[in-house]
Amino acid sequence: MIIGFLFRIIANALAILAAAWLVPNIVFNYEFIALLKLALILALVNTFLKPVLKLIFSPLILITLGLFTFVINIFLLWLVVYFTPELSISGFYAYFLTTLILSAFNFIVSAATNKRD
């Protein structure tokens, strides 16, 4: 469980770097400590806040056939960006692409760390 959380932090750090490199309208100062701080905050938000928001908005998630989870992910990313001055994202398009990159990296890590019976 702890190893999976550490892998998730590393995946978030790599995803932030990839998004800062690939997506326009993202400003990141490329400091290692700031990157670890962002990745840790993002992992904590995804671990504790995301399940609560998914539970609260589960009717909307069902109605939109799961597309509302992108809105939740964008909101959580906005929340992290709001509280960390090291990362700045401007525009919905940049948030959307960054969310897709973060989701892809987290999907790969969760698929690799899940135990198969």
Side-chain angles (χ1 to χ4, degrees):
M1 185 167 123
I2 294 173
I3 300 295
F5 188 72
L6 290 175
F7 281 142
R8 194 167 301 273
I9 291 172
I10 293 168
N12 284 333
L14 293 174
I16 290 168
L17 286 176
W21 185 63
L22 293 172
V23 180
N25 297 330
I26 294 180
V27 178
F28 179 63
N29 60 4
Y30 292 101
E31 293 180 6
F32 183 72
I33 299 298
L35 181 65
L36 287 181
K37 177 182 149 185
L38 278 167
L40 178 65
I41 291 171
L42 197 57
L44 289 172
V45 163
N46 282 335
T47 302
F48 295 112
L49 263 171
K50 190 174 185 177
V52 173
L53 289 175
K54 280 183 147 182
L55 181 67
I56 291 170
F57 292 111
S58 59
L60 281 173
I61 293 171
L62 287 173
I63 289 171
T64 61
L65 301 174
L67 291 177
F68 195 76
T69 55
F70 283 116
V71 175
I72 292 172
N73 289 337
I74 289 171
F75 170 73
L76 292 175
L77 181 63
W78 173 83
L79 196 64
V80 169
V81 169
Y82 183 77
F83 286 112
T84 55
E86 296 88 10
L87 182 66
S88 174
I89 302 175
S90 60
F92 179 76
Y93 182 70
Y95 273 104
F96 183 74
L97 288 178
T98 305
T99 301
L100 285 177
I101 292 170
L102 282 166
S103 298
F105 274 76
N106 284 321
F107 175 76
I108 292 168
V109 167
S110 65
T113 58
N114 283 344
K115 296 179 182 174
R116 300 192 183 203
D117 294 330

